[in-house]
Amino acid sequence: MRKAMWAAAAAGVVLLVAGCGSEGGTDKGGSASGGSSSAGSSATGGSGAGGSSDEKLDAAAVTKELTDAATGAGFTQDSSGEAVPAEAKECMVSWTADAEKAADPAKSYSGTVATLTSGGWSEERSSGAGGSVIKSLTKSSWKLQASNHSAGPLKLVMFVAVDSSAECAAVLAESNAKPQGS
């Protein structure tokens, strides 16, 4: 069941990146890709963390930022939530918190988002219903969906980031087209 939840969340991020998620809410800024084709360097990445929002981030830098922010806010990672296909590892990052072990998952979620925004991530949208909160953040060409569904009986807090560059959009579309078992 947990993998089905992850797949649904990841599909939501992919749809958001593809441009299907901009109905209503506060959408501040539009596309960050604007002709940039420096995604070929995503494996080497340069300095990675901390600088301006215009620098090219790679998956390792995004993973480090997410890990540092989430663990600093009181989460431990639930590695059973990791199911990014091998071919998409440079274009997608998934970080699932073990919300059952967090003292206060809502506070840790808010702390993680606050640390990310103070580190250069911009909040683009926020929505909530039935105790769940989903925030969309951007930095460089990366789109991050931070989801907190810890208010009900299922304690699920996830951070899924996708590189919206043209190169990664093609990789993700190809990965999504493959049958589930491959």
Side-chain angles (χ1 to χ4, degrees):
M1 171 142 164
R2 192 169 195 109
K3 289 189 187 241
M5 294 285 295
W6 183 89
V13 171
V14 171
L15 288 174
L16 176 68
V17 170
C20 298
S22 63
E23 72 282 337
T26 26
D27 189 1
K28 311 173 202 159
S31 173
S33 59
S36 167
S37 64
S38 62
S41 66
S42 68
T44 56
S47 65
S52 80
S53 62
D54 291 340
E55 73 184 33
K56 178 67 181 150
L57 292 177
D58 64 7
V62 172
T63 299
K64 180 175 178 4
E65 288 186 30
L66 275 172
T67 300
D68 291 350
T71 57
F75 282 128
T76 56
Q77 187 170 15
D78 179 355
S79 60
S80 69
E82 303 265 343
V84 175
E87 65 273 12
K89 288 208 181 277
E90 291 301 316
C91 298
M92 177 183 269
V93 172
S94 174
W95 203 99
T96 303
D98 190 337
E100 296 285 340
K101 292 183 181 174
D104 183 347
K107 184 176 179 183
S108 293
Y109 171 82
S110 295
T112 302
V113 171
T115 298
L116 291 170
T117 56
S118 70
W121 288 85
S122 300
E123 187 175 324
E124 299 293 309
R125 277 182 282 272
S126 180
S127 63
S132 293
V133 177
I134 300 172
K135 294 183 180 279
S136 298
L137 309 166
T138 61
K139 184 174 184 181
S140 183
S141 62
W142 286 82
K143 310 284 184 193
L144 169 69
Q145 186 168 18
S147 306
N148 177 15
H149 310 285
S150 64
L154 175 66
K155 307 278 186 237
L156 181 63
V157 178
M158 317 180 51
F159 303 91
V160 179
V162 177
D163 185 342
S164 64
S165 67
E167 294 85 355
C168 279
V171 167
L172 292 170
E174 184 177 318
S175 177
N176 286 336
K178 287 186 177 181
Q180 287 287 6
S182 62

